[in-house]
């Protein structure tokens, strides 16, 4: 499965600005994700892909999709690629990824809160999970495990 992050547009089939009903219809039509939680008029819809254990949270403001959060799969053998500008954000070591984004002309801002931002793309990348993902010799996470795509960051 490949999921493309399209800044200013959305993630995969989910387009920023789409209504709650359109998002639910997309989930139902594609059949790839199971809805974990959702109210009748949700602020969020939480989705999971059972085979990979990848999670997606669709955030709504005034009934329109305003942000999409992706949480890295927990099944390391999963056939999942999450792509931003052709680069796999969850399988490319985060240090390499930052360099590759810079080579492509993207500005990367580091936050004191522990995340990296691509402000012109309205994308945030972070290592924030408590799950046991691959770590380097110093015990630091090798890969990003979180992506936020939004109208505003």
């Amino acid at each position: 499965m490949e999921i493309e992050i399209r800044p200013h547009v959305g993630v995969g089939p989910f387009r920023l600005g789409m209504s709650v009903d359109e998002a639910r219809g997309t989930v139902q039509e594609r059949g790839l994700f199971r809805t974990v939680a959702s109210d009748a008029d949700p602020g969020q819809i939480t989705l999971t892909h059972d085979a990979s254990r990848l999670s997606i949270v669709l955030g709504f403001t005034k009934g329109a999709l305003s942000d999409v959060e992706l949480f890295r799969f927990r099944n390391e053998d999963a056939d999942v690629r999450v792509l931003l500008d052709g680069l796999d954000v969850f399988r490319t070591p985060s240090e390499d990824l930052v360099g590759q984004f810079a080579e492509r002309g993207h500005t990367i801002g580091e936050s004191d809160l522990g995340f990296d931002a691509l402000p012109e793309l309205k994308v945030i990348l972070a290592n924030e999970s408590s799950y046991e993902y691959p770590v380097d010799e110093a015990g630091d996470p090798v890969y990003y495990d979180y992506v936020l795509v939004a109208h505003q960051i």
Side-chain angles (χ1 to χ4, degrees):
M1 171 174 59
E2 280 193 2
I3 299 172
E4 185 178 354
I5 297 169
R6 295 171 293 151
H8 310 289
V9 175
V11 174
F14 303 107
R15 296 176 326 281
L16 296 174
M18 74 188 323
S19 71
V20 171
D21 289 339
E22 288 174 308
R24 284 190 174 127
T26 298
V27 170
Q28 209 168 33
E29 176 184 304
R30 303 280 172 138
L32 292 174
F33 293 93
R34 175 174 49 88
T35 303
V36 177
S38 174
D39 295 331
D41 187 20
Q44 293 183 330
I45 296 176
T46 303
L47 308 170
T48 191
H49 182 254
D50 288 324
S52 67
R53 297 178 64 197
L54 171 90
S55 295
I56 297 176
V57 177
L58 306 175
F60 296 89
T61 303
K62 297 181 180 177
L65 185 61
S66 56
D67 60 84
V68 180
E69 297 174 280
L70 297 123
F71 296 86
R72 189 177 192 271
F73 46 86
R74 287 184 267 157
N75 175 357
E76 288 299 318
D77 296 327
D79 186 19
V80 175
R81 292 172 25 113
V82 177
L83 305 173
L84 173 58
D85 199 12
L87 301 171
D88 191 334
V89 297
F90 290 149
R91 292 205 188 268
T92 305
S94 53
E95 288 182 16
D96 296 344
L97 195 59
V98 167
Q100 291 175 23
F101 283 137
E103 287 171 6
R104 292 172 183 221
H106 299 298
T107 302
I108 290 114
E110 292 183 20
S111 161
D112 292 338
L113 300 175
F115 63 82
D116 296 326
L118 295 130
E120 81 278 6
L121 301 180
K122 307 282 191 264
V123 172
I124 289 178
L125 304 161
N127 292 313
E128 65 169 31
S129 176
S130 61
Y131 294 111
E132 293 186 20
Y133 290 119
V135 294
D136 63 16
E137 304 81 40
D140 295 324
V142 175
Y143 307 107
Y144 288 115
D145 59 20
Y146 173 83
V147 176
L148 169 68
V149 179
H151 275 301
Q152 297 292 324
I153 59 168

